[in-house]
Amino acid sequence: MKKSLVALALMGVFAGAYAQSSVTIYGTVDAGISKRTGTTTQVGKRDNNKLGFKGIEDLGGGLKAIFQLEIRYEPDTGTIENTSGANSRPLFQGQSRVGLQGDFGTVRLGRGLTAFQETSTAFEPWSGIPAVAGYQTDLQVAGYSSDPLSPVGNSGNRFSNAVFYNTPMIADMFQLNVTVGAKEANNGPAIIGKGIATAPQFAANSAPVTTPYSLSATAANGPFAAYAAYEKNAIETKLWSVGASFKPMNELKLMASYQKQDQGNSTLINPDTKAWILGANYTVGAGMFRLGYGQKTPDNALGNPALAKTKQASIGYDYNLSARTYLYFDASNKKAATTLNYYGLGIHHNF
Amino acid sequence: MKKSLVALALMGVFAGAYAQSSVTIYGTVDAGISKRTGTTTQVGKRDNNKLGFKGIEDLGGGLKAIFQLEIRYEPDTGTIENTSGANSRPLFQGQSRVGLQGDFGTVRLGRGLTAFQETSTAFEPWSGIPAVAGYQTDLQVAGYSSDPLSPVGNSGNRFSNAVFYNTPMIADMFQLNVTVGAKEANNGPAIIGKGIATAPQFAANSAPVTTPYSLSATAANGPFAAYAAYEKNAIETKLWSVGASFKPMNELKLMASYQKQDQGNSTLINPDTKAWILGANYTVGAGMFRLGYGQKTPDNALGNPALAKTKQASIGYDYNLSARTYLYFDASNKKAATTLNYYGLGIHHNF
Amino acid sequence: MKKSLVALALMGVFAGAYAQSSVTIYGTVDAGISKRTGTTTQVGKRDNNKLGFKGIEDLGGGLKAIFQLEIRYEPDTGTIENTSGANSRPLFQGQSRVGLQGDFGTVRLGRGLTAFQETSTAFEPWSGIPAVAGYQTDLQVAGYSSDPLSPVGNSGNRFSNAVFYNTPMIADMFQLNVTVGAKEANNGPAIIGKGIATAPQFAANSAPVTTPYSLSATAANGPFAAYAAYEKNAIETKLWSVGASFKPMNELKLMASYQKQDQGNSTLINPDTKAWILGANYTVGAGMFRLGYGQKTPDNALGNPALAKTKQASIGYDYNLSARTYLYFDASNKKAATTLNYYGLGIHHNF
């Protein structure tokens, strides 16, 4: 039979112009029971929940095409993350990127974690997951947001409309990472900043005035690893961060980081926020303990109790049922203007 | 080459820290043409439409980790179910659960059908699918909603923020099922109830005052099966239901159920609704007939024509093209305050 | 162990009542960098981005069941297409259809491209993708929308609530295609048309007054192919279109099309729009050049500069890295009331 002309679409669709490739479906379901100061017992989570699609195509000569699309959702309600009217996060909140990998490194376009955000998670005692007991969402970023001009509720760890570059490993030890965002508006709300309510410094749906970017460098040698990162967002808030980890023995990983946010471009008083974290991961049999302590310090805070120093101490325990599934328990005490105690237990399943 | 430190994420993503597992993609596409009293001919559906992702991991020693995520959508418009502005149903309206299965039974956390709702569908002549000609959505629940404090348009058959437990089979005959919801608010609208418009009994975004729960027990022995269920929702409406089925021969399944809803906590008059259903499934060759008759009776309804008795008679026919695909025809007459005649035919495809 | 009765759902889900079938996951990630008159450099796309699920089941005797569900998204922000508050496009914007294929042809129900829209893309020099440099979205449809009564921002190329029929190939040369929409309202906004603001010709959430339909016929013989199409939408706007293509040698495809939109039912002045396009695809080694020129002409436009003639000249180049992945460059000049210059380069990856 000759080729159906009209129904080229049908053909393409059902016969397949190209072979079915290596689409991998992956994800995380993490659900548990938690209790924090001032609320009833809730069904919640420790980690982000993901449903993702990714693939890699060998183009020959060491060149590869890669893509990744990652849905984020809440298992307790079945919604995508942060659903509330028009403020839902993107369907592919986790990331949506496509690019090439080769001897020159990796180049990707789209939306994803910035170089700083992607780098620093390896130096956080909860492995960078946004657990209440962990340090990623608040202390490890010193209160900073990578994406202040996106809609309220959108992720603060990502650039949209960006180019992502990672070098290959240099001298078997070093790697550099760069993320550069386009100066595109993204339907964000107004930010008063140094303006006034009727004339905000950044109007609604502002585009970045200067190009946002993020840089990080890492080094790893035997039991030692370290990073340094610098990022400037769309409203010219600056963040720098350094961290290191050390494994005195195979079962123990010690880590520390320091970060400073400078909001001088959009804040008249107290523009600087500093934070540091100490952490440890200690493996015993099928279990692993997570320990952390950290502080976050706004400058000139003495006159304003709302700007009190934040102090957080946390302990967690993972019990591995397999390489993909573990049970966990977290407990945390976080003192700021008020004190938050948190307990959580649950199950974390990768697929 | 040494491990890239920064790009641990890249590594994890593209090399795979854990083996690709048994993610199964499954779903239903059901579309047809239907006509009901007072409307033009429409493209519609008989069953819910699903796109799901599920998996099971053997943890050894009889223990298994299980998860399931289920999108629900409308094939005639391509939207997720009930999309209208801020009232869209959750992306994973069908369910989003993770848990463990073992000798102790099955424990899951997240969002899904309650014990009552999951049990009773096996005793309904349209197999519990929410067909217009079927009895599930109205008569089999006696007008009851499992989730009155969720946003308008959300599923009335499910608990969010819940723990689900099923026992294993007991004495090869019995099984018990329990669902317990957390007392979490879920952005629902106000419910006036026994209050007044300016002081509703349940304010907007209310949390349940007492813990919602659902219980069901089933028994099965040869051609006989039966269930009993009791449920209390977040506004303390109570529902109990019993049902049985009998197969006098392999081709014929007879079924009956009775249910009573008590809205005494939120309604001053006519708090009780009762419903009963008789049904049959009769297989002839590649086809199966579905027959049902049922009534729903509000108490003290005589004085209020809006509370008239509901009487529904329905017939359906499935013609199986394969184990996964069938054509169907439904006809139904439903008399209440007004009379609804319904005809539908279509195709139902499982994948 | 006997079959668990309650947890029929559990059983169905985790043991599988039917074998896992041939669900194919497929999609496109296309992202690049672009610059157009009056904007900064942006991260954008050339093609639509898709994540789809499709399958085909052999029912025996030449009969097949087919389904297809297609998500459309923006890789630069991770959102589904056209997300802005309540005006998001459907999750399965691409299509959601189920049907049967056999000796009689193909019948499908649901939502998808109309017969005209599906046919004409094969005669457009950018292969019908909605590239800024391409002709599909504006000139090839002569400004026409297939779905004017759906919410603002919804696709203008599709029918919802429709039946789609394609004949088999006739005499190895011809194919006919028919799409018929139901007269269902779909939450669209009011259209003033020949009415006034307070009494619009089509009220909000109008249903079509007459049945919308689309017809196309194609013929293909050796190096020649041609089509003719006619469509009438829900507000009785009419569109007809003819086109042809010729391959003088294997590396070169020449194409031309002409289309006319008649908005006489909803517009008092200038109801007609005409457009024509000439195009070529020329393959050189691993690359392919795309060339196009076209005009769109509103009648009686001289008195109204806003209705000036549109003239568009474009060139594109694809460099294939594999059968699934290519890099591209586009440049376009489009003159209408204002002039738009456009440059874009990026990567297009099918999976």
Side-chain angles (χ1 to χ4, degrees):
Chain A
M1 198 168 104
K2 279 206 192 170
K3 228 168 74 164
S4 158
L5 208 236
V6 165
L8 265 185
L10 270 181
M11 288 268 152
V13 158
F14 293 110
Y18 39 84
Q20 165 67 0
S21 69
S22 51
V23 181
T24 300
I25 301 177
Y26 68 95
T28 301
V29 203
D30 179 316
I33 293 178
S34 62
K35 172 84 183 74
R36 67 182 84 191
T37 308
T39 71
T40 57
T41 304
Q42 301 199 329
V43 172
K45 62 177 183 179
R46 183 204 226 186
D47 195 1
N48 293 317
N49 283 272
K50 311 170 193 75
L51 172 63
F53 304 86
K54 67 188 176 187
I56 184 162
E57 183 197 14
D58 196 331
L59 300 169
L63 196 64
K64 296 183 173 95
I66 57 178
F67 81 93
Q68 191 163 7
L69 301 170
E70 194 171 292
I71 292 172
R72 289 262 289 269
Y73 66 94
E74 304 292 1
D76 54 351
T77 56
T79 57
I80 61 171
E81 276 190 0
N82 209 50
T83 299
S84 76
N87 286 334
S88 289
R89 289 184 160 183
L91 180 65
F92 299 116
Q93 149 65 9
Q95 65 170 292
S96 56
R97 289 192 283 200
V98 60
L100 295 172
Q101 205 164 29
D103 293 341
F104 57 84
T106 304
V107 179
R108 289 174 291 174
L109 288 103
R111 168 188 170 78
L113 288 172
T114 67
F116 158 61
Q117 303 275 9
E118 196 161 50
T119 297
S120 60
T121 56
F123 299 83
E124 196 273 328
W126 266 255
S127 310
I129 66 176
V132 175
Y135 296 83
Q136 199 284 321
T137 54
D138 184 13
L139 271 66
Q140 202 184 20
V141 297
Y144 168 82
S145 168
S146 290
D147 193 14
L149 290 181
S150 273
V152 171
N154 220 319
S155 163
N157 304 100
R158 286 161 173 82
F159 278 2
S160 284
N161 304 305
V163 180
F164 304 81
Y165 173 65
N166 310 90
T167 67
M169 289 293 285
I170 300 166
D172 272 6
M173 270 184 69
F174 302 104
Q175 193 173 27
L176 303 174
N177 312 279
V178 184
T179 310
V180 180
K183 291 192 281 184
E184 289 185 62
N186 201 18
N187 291 313
I191 298 176
I192 293 175
K194 290 179 171 172
I196 54 172
T198 51
Q201 186 178 359
F202 303 95
N205 198 29
S206 281
V209 178
T210 57
T211 299
Y213 64 88
S214 184
L215 304 170
S216 75
T218 59
N221 195 356
F224 297 95
Y227 79 94
Y230 180 81
E231 185 170 316
K232 192 171 79 171
N233 69 18
I235 61 171
E236 299 191 60
T237 298
K238 293 154 202 141
L239 185 285
W240 62 262
S241 173
V242 292
S245 68
F246 171 55
K247 297 183 87 169
M249 53 182 142
N250 226 17
E251 293 75 22
L252 182 63
K253 179 181 174 185
L254 303 172
M255 54 205 111
S257 69
Y258 181 90
Q259 30 276 330
K260 183 176 163 186
Q261 180 186 196
D262 171 6
Q263 293 181 286
N265 190 51
S266 59
T267 308
L268 281 170
I269 54 164
N270 299 316
D272 291 343
T273 308
K274 297 163 193 163
W276 55 265
I277 307 159
L278 299 175
N281 290 165
Y282 184 53
T283 301
V284 186
M288 183 177 77
F289 289 93
R290 299 175 184 272
L291 296 164
Y293 182 79
Q295 293 194 359
K296 190 178 75 170
T297 317
D299 276 355
N300 305 317
L302 293 180
N304 185 348
L307 295 173
K309 186 182 284 194
T310 299
K311 296 179 185 180
Q312 183 182 337
S314 299
I315 182 168
Y317 180 70
D318 300 6
Y319 183 78
N320 293 295
L321 297 172
S322 76
R324 299 202 281 125
T325 306
Y326 62 81
L327 305 174
Y328 59 81
F329 173 77
D330 279 349
S332 182
N333 172 277
K334 188 171 181 176
K335 289 196 179 89
T338 57
T339 294
L340 172 73
N341 287 313
Y342 174 86
Y343 308 94
L345 63 91
I347 181 170
H348 186 286
H349 177 63
N350 286 320
F351 58 90
Chain B
M1 197 168 104
K2 279 205 191 171
K3 226 168 76 165
S4 158
L5 209 236
V6 164
L8 265 184
L10 269 182
M11 287 269 153
V13 158
F14 292 109
Y18 39 85
Q20 165 67 1
S21 69
S22 51
V23 182
T24 300
I25 302 179
Y26 69 95
T28 300
V29 204
D30 178 316
I33 293 179
S34 62
K35 172 82 183 75
R36 67 182 84 191
T37 308
T39 71
T40 56
T41 303
Q42 302 199 329
V43 173
K45 62 178 183 178
R46 182 204 226 185
D47 195 1
N48 293 316
N49 283 272
K50 311 170 192 77
L51 172 63
F53 305 86
K54 66 188 176 187
I56 184 162
E57 183 197 15
D58 196 331
L59 299 169
L63 196 64
K64 295 183 173 97
I66 57 178
F67 82 93
Q68 191 163 5
L69 301 170
E70 195 171 293
I71 293 173
R72 289 261 289 269
Y73 67 93
E74 305 292 1
D76 53 351
T77 56
T79 58
I80 61 171
E81 276 190 359
N82 210 52
T83 298
S84 75
N87 286 334
S88 289
R89 289 185 161 182
L91 181 64
F92 298 117
Q93 148 65 9
Q95 65 170 292
S96 57
R97 289 193 284 201
V98 61
L100 294 173
Q101 205 165 27
D103 294 340
F104 57 85
T106 305
V107 179
R108 288 174 292 175
L109 288 103
R111 167 187 171 78
L113 287 172
T114 69
F116 157 62
Q117 303 276 8
E118 197 160 49
T119 296
S120 60
T121 55
F123 299 84
E124 196 271 328
W126 266 254
S127 310
I129 66 176
V132 176
Y135 295 84
Q136 199 284 321
T137 54
D138 184 13
L139 271 66
Q140 202 185 20
V141 298
Y144 168 83
S145 168
S146 289
D147 193 14
L149 292 181
S150 274
V152 172
N154 220 318
S155 163
N157 304 99
R158 287 160 172 82
F159 278 2
S160 284
N161 305 303
V163 180
F164 303 81
Y165 173 65
N166 310 89
T167 66
M169 289 295 283
I170 300 167
D172 271 7
M173 270 184 71
F174 302 106
Q175 193 174 27
L176 302 174
N177 312 280
V178 184
T179 310
V180 180
K183 291 193 281 185
E184 289 184 62
N186 200 17
N187 291 314
I191 298 177
I192 293 176
K194 290 179 172 171
I196 54 172
T198 52
Q201 186 178 359
F202 303 94
N205 198 28
S206 281
V209 179
T210 58
T211 299
Y213 65 88
S214 184
L215 303 171
S216 75
T218 59
N221 196 357
F224 296 97
Y227 79 94
Y230 180 81
E231 186 170 315
K232 193 171 78 172
N233 70 17
I235 61 170
E236 299 191 60
T237 298
K238 291 154 205 143
L239 186 284
W240 64 260
S241 174
V242 291
S245 68
F246 171 56
K247 299 184 85 170
M249 53 183 142
N250 225 20
E251 292 75 21
L252 182 62
K253 181 182 173 185
L254 303 172
M255 53 205 112
S257 69
Y258 181 89
Q259 28 276 330
K260 183 176 164 185
Q261 179 185 197
D262 171 5
Q263 293 181 286
N265 190 51
S266 60
T267 309
L268 281 170
I269 52 163
N270 299 316
D272 291 342
T273 308
K274 296 164 193 163
W276 57 264
I277 307 159
L278 298 176
N281 290 165
Y282 184 53
T283 302
V284 184
M288 183 177 77
F289 289 93
R290 299 174 184 272
L291 297 165
Y293 182 78
Q295 294 194 358
K296 191 177 73 168
T297 318
D299 275 355
N300 305 319
L302 295 179
N304 185 347
L307 296 173
K309 187 181 284 193
T310 300
K311 295 179 186 179
Q312 183 182 339
S314 299
I315 182 167
Y317 179 70
D318 300 5
Y319 182 78
N320 292 295
L321 297 172
S322 76
R324 299 202 280 124
T325 305
Y326 62 82
L327 304 175
Y328 59 81
F329 173 76
D330 279 349
S332 182
N333 172 277
K334 189 173 181 176
K335 290 194 177 91
T338 57
T339 294
L340 173 73
N341 286 314
Y342 174 85
Y343 307 94
L345 62 92
I347 181 170
H348 186 285
H349 176 63
N350 286 320
F351 58 89
Chain C
M1 198 168 102
K2 280 206 189 169
K3 227 166 77 165
S4 158
L5 209 238
V6 164
L8 266 185
L10 270 180
M11 287 271 153
V13 159
F14 292 108
Y18 39 85
Q20 165 67 0
S21 68
S22 51
V23 182
T24 300
I25 302 177
Y26 69 95
T28 300
V29 204
D30 178 317
I33 294 178
S34 62
K35 174 82 183 74
R36 68 182 83 190
T37 308
T39 71
T40 58
T41 304
Q42 301 199 330
V43 173
K45 62 177 183 180
R46 181 204 227 188
D47 195 0
N48 292 317
N49 283 272
K50 311 171 193 75
L51 172 63
F53 304 85
K54 67 187 176 189
I56 184 162
E57 183 197 13
D58 197 331
L59 300 169
L63 197 63
K64 295 184 173 96
I66 56 178
F67 82 94
Q68 191 163 7
L69 301 170
E70 195 171 293
I71 294 172
R72 289 263 289 269
Y73 66 93
E74 303 292 1
D76 53 350
T77 56
T79 58
I80 62 171
E81 276 190 359
N82 209 50
T83 298
S84 76
N87 286 334
S88 289
R89 288 185 160 182
L91 180 64
F92 298 116
Q93 149 66 10
Q95 66 170 291
S96 56
R97 289 193 283 200
V98 61
L100 294 173
Q101 206 165 26
D103 293 340
F104 56 85
T106 304
V107 179
R108 289 174 290 175
L109 287 103
R111 168 188 171 77
L113 287 173
T114 67
F116 157 61
Q117 303 277 6
E118 198 161 48
T119 296
S120 59
T121 56
F123 299 83
E124 196 271 328
W126 266 254
S127 310
I129 67 176
V132 175
Y135 296 83
Q136 199 285 319
T137 55
D138 185 12
L139 271 65
Q140 202 185 19
V141 298
Y144 168 82
S145 167
S146 290
D147 193 14
L149 292 181
S150 273
V152 172
N154 219 321
S155 164
N157 303 99
R158 286 161 173 82
F159 279 1
S160 284
N161 305 304
V163 180
F164 304 81
Y165 173 64
N166 309 89
T167 66
M169 289 294 283
I170 299 167
D172 271 7
M173 269 184 71
F174 302 105
Q175 194 174 27
L176 302 175
N177 312 278
V178 184
T179 310
V180 180
K183 292 193 281 185
E184 289 185 63
N186 201 18
N187 291 313
I191 298 176
I192 293 176
K194 290 180 171 171
I196 55 172
T198 52
Q201 186 179 359
F202 303 95
N205 198 30
S206 282
V209 178
T210 58
T211 299
Y213 64 88
S214 184
L215 304 171
S216 75
T218 58
N221 195 357
F224 296 96
Y227 79 95
Y230 180 81
E231 186 170 315
K232 192 171 78 173
N233 69 17
I235 61 171
E236 300 191 59
T237 298
K238 292 153 205 142
L239 185 284
W240 63 262
S241 174
V242 291
S245 69
F246 171 55
K247 298 184 86 170
M249 54 182 140
N250 226 19
E251 293 74 24
L252 180 64
K253 180 181 174 187
L254 303 172
M255 54 205 112
S257 68
Y258 180 88
Q259 29 276 329
K260 182 177 165 188
Q261 179 186 197
D262 170 6
Q263 293 181 287
N265 190 50
S266 59
T267 309
L268 282 170
I269 53 165
N270 299 316
D272 291 341
T273 309
K274 297 163 193 163
W276 55 265
I277 307 159
L278 298 175
N281 290 166
Y282 184 54
T283 301
V284 185
M288 183 177 77
F289 289 93
R290 299 175 185 273
L291 297 164
Y293 182 79
Q295 294 193 359
K296 191 177 73 169
T297 318
D299 276 355
N300 305 316
L302 295 179
N304 185 349
L307 296 173
K309 189 181 282 194
T310 300
K311 296 180 186 180
Q312 182 181 338
S314 299
I315 182 168
Y317 180 71
D318 301 5
Y319 183 79
N320 293 295
L321 297 172
S322 76
R324 299 203 281 125
T325 305
Y326 62 81
L327 305 174
Y328 59 82
F329 173 76
D330 279 349
S332 182
N333 173 277
K334 187 172 181 177
K335 289 194 179 91
T338 58
T339 294
L340 172 73
N341 286 313
Y342 174 85
Y343 307 93
L345 63 92
I347 180 170
H348 186 285
H349 177 62
N350 286 321
F351 58 89

